[in-house]
Amino acid sequence: MSDGRLPVRRRWLRWTIGVIVIFIVLAIAWVGIRGIGAVNSLQEVATSSSKLKQAIGQGDLDRAASLSSRIAHHAESAHDLTSDPIWLGFGLLPWLGPNFSAVSEVAEIADDVASDALLPVLEAADALDLASLGLSGGAIDLTPFAQIEPSLADASATLTSAETRALGIDADATLPPLADAVREMRSTVTQAATVVGALHGASALLPSMLGAEGPRNYVLAMQNNAELRSSGGIIGAIALLHAENGRITLVQQASTQDFPPLDTPIPLSESTVALFEDRPGRYLQNLTSIPDFTEAGPAIATRWQNRFGQPVDGVIAVDAVMTESLVAATGPLAFGPFTATEETVVDLLLSEIYAAVPDPAAQDEIFSQAAGALLSAALTGADPKDLVAALSVSADERRIRIWSAHEEEEAILSASTLGGALPEDDAQTHIGVLVNDTTGGKMDFYADAAITTSIGTCDGEPTTQVTVTWMNDAPADASTSLPPYVTADGFYGVPAGSTRTLITVYGPEGATPSHIDRDGEEMSVQTALLGSRSAVQHEVLLAPGESSKITVEFQGTGAGERLTVVDHTPMVTTPETSREELRCAS
């Protein structure tokens, strides 16, 4: 006869299931409550970080210190709320797990940045005096830079590590609102790492490079983006700067006509010759075609030294578009018969001057006057904070490249974006688009481009697809409405108004092209190896209003990575870059 009780084994099973259900309910409630608190804390971190950036820019260090304490408190709170065993256990679940892991990782990164990077940066900012940045009467006080270097080194290392970890979070595997937050955090950390890295580089390099240990001479090469070359534009003017004890002076200006073509070209790398033959080695103007500035810089220095005899300690290449940011800092600039403002300076230098002053020799003289006036205004009349902001924007857009003849300095420079070296694939995979004009005029003022990347798998192989749409947006009557100096008037075999351009596409390190086409048709191309990167180059001839689409698929090591960034030649109009769904051309 039964006594109405369940067998012991069944009772234990029921109790076990009940306990598990209760545990799951409590665990869900636990992570739900803690998740709300963590998200709120991270939102406070984001809001306060925006205010902190503004406070530092205004030199309000008291407010910056208060905001930093608030950021540190909320970041620590978010980290504590998302680092207990239950939360970490939910991170192991399929589908939902990546969301928990992402929040936990974001909170930990925020905590590390707040505790290990903010304080050193604020201490450095205080020591440097943001009100003047050490700039007085055209000279820079170099003493504070050596004092702040150690703390900035620590902050830079923390932010670089944080950036690498942030890039490793798979935002595409999380829910859309969280994915947006991860991408925003990633962008913020990358921006902070770039800025602090630049400050650290400046603190390490400026004392010696600006003559604290002895006088220095630098060649300044000014690039004209209306005639594109790999690093920005053809060298249109060149000068020698002297730096001593923090004071920079312009000691000599020269024209490209002072550098006639060489009968025997200077030595070039195999990759440069494969893409451009020996033209960069013969013509000064073409030295910026060289894709890697660690090769172009010393070549420019060699041409100057062979022509004028002065020893050169380094080369600085800047493009004409950066004058927009600089004039925003200096105010209106007068040179020759012109007065340029932030809104007009680029159009004036790259387009209008050719119609107003037809004589090329007179143009060169006006360009020299503009360069001298801009340098003088920047060193003596610009607000230091505005000047640094302008230089930061230009550096971020790759419009400034620096090479040093001093080995220790060059090691630091070549590892930064300022060094202009070909990128290395690490936490991010890089692809690139280089543009070189062969029209012989100044038609690239009217050039435009769009670059798309598509990541995935084709034929079972990881694939990175790069599509470049190149456009000639010159007016339909360009052959008659534009000056002959701009169109080249057919001198180099290109009909007036048309453009002829070399478009070079390079892929991830170790990957090779599996498919190449232009406007849907396979055509002959030039190929080269840029280090361990495969590069393909099309020659594109376009009449006004025409466009052409180049597609290259890369497969192999490094291809198919989601975190792929696009590097490209700085143009007058920055190309639109986007990510699209992969449609295998092969």
Side-chain angles (χ1 to χ4, degrees):
M1 175 180 289
S2 171
D3 61 1
R5 291 181 296 175
L6 291 173
V8 172
R9 182 178 295 177
R10 291 180 64 186
R11 290 203 303 271
W12 273 106
L13 180 62
R14 187 173 66 179
W15 275 102
T16 301
I17 293 173
V19 169
I20 292 174
V21 169
I22 292 171
F23 176 79
I24 291 174
V25 170
L26 290 175
I28 291 173
W30 175 267
V31 297
I33 293 170
R34 293 173 75 85
I36 292 172
V39 169
N40 288 337
S41 292
L42 290 173
Q43 288 174 340
E44 288 291 339
V45 169
T47 301
S48 298
S49 296
S50 177
K51 295 177 181 177
L52 176 66
K53 180 181 177 182
Q54 183 182 37
I56 292 176
Q58 295 171 346
D60 188 350
L61 295 187
D62 289 337
R63 182 165 175 256
S66 174
L67 287 167
S68 296
S69 298
R70 185 174 182 180
I71 290 171
H73 169 74
H74 287 293
E76 182 180 14
S77 174
H79 185 202
D80 289 343
L81 288 168
T82 58
S83 58
D84 65 275
I86 295 178
W87 185 281
L88 297 178
F90 270 77
L92 301 176
L93 295 174
W95 191 67
L96 282 177
N99 295 278
F100 288 93
S101 298
V103 172
S104 180
E105 189 73 6
V106 167
E108 185 176 353
I109 291 170
D111 190 21
D112 288 348
V113 169
S115 60
D116 298 333
L118 282 181
L119 183 58
V121 170
L122 284 175
E123 289 175 346
D126 195 17
L128 190 57
D129 182 11
L130 288 176
S132 68
L133 292 170
L135 188 64
S136 176
I140 298 174
D141 181 7
L142 301 174
T143 304
F145 288 95
Q147 297 173 347
I148 66 175
E149 192 275 333
S151 59
L152 283 177
D154 292 340
S156 181
T158 296
L159 284 165
T160 299
S161 174
E163 180 185 19
T164 301
R165 290 162 59 195
L167 291 171
I169 300 175
D170 190 355
D172 294 337
T174 62
L175 295 171
L178 184 56
D180 291 341
V182 170
R183 294 188 182 100
E184 183 178 352
M185 182 275 296
R186 187 185 287 159
S187 175
T188 300
V189 172
T190 296
Q191 184 183 39
T194 301
V195 171
V196 174
L199 282 173
H200 173 238
S203 67
L205 293 172
L206 280 179
S208 59
M209 291 190 72
L210 294 185
E213 300 168 5
R216 294 286 188 91
N217 291 319
Y218 297 98
V219 173
L220 177 64
M222 287 154 278
Q223 301 178 87
N224 188 329
N225 310 79
E227 188 172 354
L228 287 168
R229 297 291 185 267
S230 296
S231 63
I234 190 170
I235 296 177
I238 195 164
L240 188 72
L241 303 177
H242 182 78
E244 190 166 357
N245 293 323
R247 186 174 296 276
I248 305 170
T249 54
L250 178 63
V251 297
Q252 183 179 350
Q253 291 182 275
S255 166
T256 54
Q257 297 178 10
D258 294 318
F259 297 84
L262 299 176
D263 294 330
T264 302
I266 61 176
L268 300 170
S269 66
E270 290 183 9
S271 59
T272 296
V273 174
L275 293 173
F276 309 112
E277 300 177 340
D278 65 0
R279 292 188 297 272
R282 293 183 182 276
Y283 299 90
L284 173 78
Q285 297 95 318
N286 289 335
L287 282 173
T288 44
S289 290
I290 299 173
D292 193 328
F293 199 72
T294 63
E295 178 187 355
I300 295 170
T302 296
R303 289 300 309 266
W304 182 278
Q305 289 174 163
N306 290 346
R307 175 65 179 83
F308 294 111
Q310 298 110 321
V312 172
D313 295 287
V315 174
I316 304 168
V318 299
D319 76 0
V321 176
M322 73 171 289
T323 58
E324 180 177 336
S325 298
L326 288 177
V327 172
T330 65
L333 195 69
F335 52 90
F338 304 105
T339 297
T341 65
E342 175 187 358
E343 291 77 18
T344 64
V345 64
V346 171
D347 285 359
L348 178 58
L349 289 176
L350 299 185
S351 176
E352 296 171 14
I353 193 172
Y354 300 117
V357 183
D359 180 17
Q363 293 168 8
D364 286 348
E365 176 61 27
I366 292 173
F367 284 132
S368 294
Q369 292 177 15
L374 187 59
L375 183 65
S376 175
L379 292 176
T380 60
D383 181 276
K385 286 180 291 185
D386 292 342
L387 180 60
V388 169
L391 293 173
S392 296
V393 168
S394 298
D396 189 51
E397 294 176 349
R398 309 294 198 268
R399 300 190 185 278
I400 305 174
R401 298 170 192 255
I402 304 174
W403 169 80
S404 174
H406 300 263
E407 190 172 329
E408 291 183 0
E409 295 170 357
E410 177 58 14
I412 297 175
L413 284 168
S414 62
S416 72
T417 55
L418 285 174
L422 287 171
E424 295 183 358
D425 292 348
D426 38 45
Q428 299 181 113
T429 298
H430 294 258
I431 61 96
V433 178
L434 307 174
V435 184
N436 286 269
D437 174 80
T438 61
T439 310
K442 298 293 182 285
M443 289 293 294
D444 288 330
F445 179 80
Y446 303 98
D448 201 359
I451 305 169
T452 63
T453 56
S454 302
I455 308 300
T457 302
C458 293
D459 299 326
E461 294 291 333
T463 303
T464 297
Q465 184 185 91
V466 185
T467 302
V468 182
T469 303
W470 183 250
M471 294 159 269
N472 177 3
D473 288 342
D477 62 349
S479 60
T480 55
S481 64
L482 298 179
Y485 187 78
V486 173
T487 65
D489 205 25
F491 187 81
Y492 296 97
V494 180
S498 294
T499 59
R500 187 175 61 199
T501 313
L502 298 176
I503 306 292
T504 309
V505 181
Y506 64 75
E509 288 184 325
T512 57
S514 57
H515 175 88
I516 307 168
D517 74 57
R518 180 176 156 206
D519 299 323
E521 298 181 7
E522 296 187 11
M523 298 181 179
S524 61
V525 296
Q526 290 174 279
T527 61
L529 274 177
L530 300 177
S532 59
R533 298 179 185 277
S534 294
V536 299
Q537 181 168 269
H538 280 269
E539 183 178 76
V540 181
L541 179 66
L542 297 178
E546 289 186 339
S547 65
S548 185
K549 181 181 290 187
I550 295 168
T551 300
V552 185
E553 282 182 2
F554 296 94
Q555 293 183 335
T557 304
E561 295 293 334
R562 285 177 174 171
L563 293 173
T564 297
V565 297
V566 179
D567 300 307
H568 58 78
T569 292
M571 296 171 54
V572 178
T573 301
T574 299
E576 178 184 351
T577 59
S578 60
R579 176 72 63 85
E580 293 184 352
E581 181 181 353
L582 177 63
R583 293 179 174 84
C584 299
S586 56

